[in-house]
Amino acid sequence: MTSEAATGRQVTMADIARAAGVSMATASRALSGSHGVSAATTARVRAVAEELSYVVSPEASGLARRATRRVGVLTSHIARWFFGEALEGIEAVLAAQGLDLVLYCVGTPEDRRRFFADLPARRKVDGLIVVGMPISAAERTRLDLLGVAVVAAGGQTADYPYVSIDDAEAGRQAMDHLLMLGHQRIAMIDAIDPNAEEWPVELRALAYTRALERAGVPLREDYFVRVPWGPDGGAEGMERLLSLPEPPTAVFVHSDDMAYGVLRVLRHAGLRVPQDLSVVSIDDAPFSRLLDLTTVRQDARLQGTLAAQAALAAIADDGEHVPQETLTTTRLVPRGSTAAPEPGR
Amino acid sequence: MTSEAATGRQVTMADIARAAGVSMATASRALSGSHGVSAATTARVRAVAEELSYVVSPEASGLARRATRRVGVLTSHIARWFFGEALEGIEAVLAAQGLDLVLYCVGTPEDRRRFFADLPARRKVDGLIVVGMPISAAERTRLDLLGVAVVAAGGQTADYPYVSIDDAEAGRQAMDHLLMLGHQRIAMIDAIDPNAEEWPVELRALAYTRALERAGVPLREDYFVRVPWGPDGGAEGMERLLSLPEPPTAVFVHSDDMAYGVLRVLRHAGLRVPQDLSVVSIDDAPFSRLLDLTTVRQDARLQGTLAAQAALAAIADDGEHVPQETLTTTRLVPRGSTAAPEPGR
DNA sequence: CTGAAAGCGCTTACAG
DNA sequence: CTGAAAGCGCTTACAG
């Protein structure tokens, strides 16, 4: 039609205004749906825009209105169950609002150092969601330079508003299950992430201790092991426990992924689950059902969803109505990896 | 220091220029590292910028230079092994170049329809990487409206340059392994993704047929089943095969995730792997080692890496030097789920 | 090597 | 309800 459309040049709002016979101002208002434009004009402008398949330039629009319509996501992993699910939840919420998600993944300490040093997200996002990453006070100071709302998902980071499960409660659910079954010799395999800061308080470990205390079961130092995150870590932890003079009859594992390693070690050692040893963990990742693992279920996607909504709210009203803490529920999913200890033991 | 830094207002390039005693033009050149600025001036400008912790506005810069320094990623999943790994690979390459990754995930047919109808990525990215998503001709036409370079990872999409494994070769590796072990009654469980277009040609299924033909083993229609993607699909497929009057002695499964469902069914049916039935698939996802699954390994992260590099190249020189096809290698990882068929069978 | 000026494509007070 | 104009914060020919 118009020569503009024919040439390679991008269609611009001036083109729309001209074709619709209105000023740029009116075209802009009609397109953005702001009030104070007659219905007829709005319709005409939009029809022209549609016809020329015009879309406003986010760069220009953002420059003029001082907003990016983008939110950043900072995370340490993508290809892990919790992170992937949370990310999907976040993306869905953002997409529904027409916001873009820009992804920053800092897997190694070096990536991480650089991220906080350079702050690549500066001036690029209206808000930031930190997923599953505890951050240090120094890092928090750097993050504040972004000058945007920050919320966290999957754990409390610094003192930003966050959505998470109640780790103490989840731990309690796992431990109570074991205690209820009659176990006394209960060990815990806890996780250390070699590439990450520590979470401020390890609530799952705390839940372990508290549950035993409440049940009047004396704590045994040799029953608490900390190993690197992941199946191999879980395996290592289990091997250590098996080498004990008096091994436990049940083990509470930090997370499903680690429990998978535990199960492998037990199978190779020729031990039967749950007859010789009960195993419970936290997550309910997809494989847990296949492996018949008893676990405490958490909804990672939901945490992403809620965090994204909190971020939206924080961006909209400057954090006025953003709850500091949002906890999603967890519940025990009893399966075949736990049972009462065998009588003889 | 300066009053600008003290007030809440963003530091602007004009502030830097003034503080350094140069024009905006020079400040811009010094900051962007373009030639034709004296070393002394460059150093001074940069020092000032550092001091005021200034960073250029991507919106303004993008507007002026007509580039976004962002690349889009379009995918149907995040929380699945292949996709998560590929995404990590892409992110790393982009981050190293200072480019941002904006993520579009279209999980449902509805998401997908809307994505291609609205093209939310328009004017927002310099290039697009499509991960693990075959697209239709109509969708391709829409995508062309973006007016940017498109590359694909994890399979051939329309006729964009792509990086992928050689599915036919991977299938051959799996099948040859089974044939070499002496199996004749070999079935295949193939995947249909209910939410997705079909890949143009199902090369893994083709490899199955060809391998049998080459080995002179007659094809049996009842040995080829197609089921929805995922462990449950795999389980369903295996159940169908087990209900056959003469079940196979080995099965080639489309992917590891599906094989996990197969293994579960076999365990519940009381069948031993590999004595009663051999199982091989494609991927080598992390759990395959835990489950002792024989599989053909592919490197998903590498495919992401290479796709990102291809996208960068396409953006830089308009696709001049971008190979149309990049294949990454696969290799058989023999483990405990395959063995020669038992003599009697 | 450096600067004045136009331009990138929008939005939004300010008037009418 | 509509328009003229300034401004958002940069980059880049064009001169010198």
Side-chain angles (χ1 to χ4, degrees), chain B residues 203-216:
Chain B
L203 293 174
R204 299 186 188 182
L206 201 59
Y208 167 75
T209 319
R210 289 228 181 106
L212 292 178
E213 279 167 357
R214 221 174 34 239

Side-chain angles (χ1 to χ4, degrees), chain A residues 273-308:
Chain A
V273 174
Q275 295 90 336
D276 298 321
L277 206 118
S278 284
V279 180
V280 64
S281 56
I282 295 182
D283 273 353
D284 200 24
F287 291 103
S288 300
R289 190 165 70 88
L290 299 179
L291 294 176
D292 211 19
L293 175 67
T294 298
T295 188
V296 174
R297 173 178 299 168
Q298 71 166 319
D299 190 334
R301 192 182 223 276
L302 175 62
Q303 290 172 64
T305 302
L306 295 174

Side-chain angles (χ1 to χ4, degrees), chain B residues 12-13 28-29 54 64:
Chain B
T12 189
M13 191 181 274
S28 174
R29 293 191 189 102
Y54 166 80

Side-chain angles (χ1 to χ4, degrees), chain A residues 67 222 315:
Chain A
D222 55 347
I315 292 169

Side-chain angles (χ1 to χ4, degrees), chain A residues 14 34 50 112 151 156-157 161 165 197 223 272 321 325:
Chain A
S34 46
E50 174 75 14
R112 185 171 182 133
V151 308
Q156 184 167 8
T157 91
I165 58 170
E197 295 291 318
Y223 276 8
R272 296 161 308 157
H321 303 110
E325 171 184 273

Side-chain angles (χ1 to χ4, degrees), chain A residues 12-13 28-29 54 64:
Chain A
T12 188
M13 191 181 275
S28 174
R29 293 193 187 101
Y54 167 79

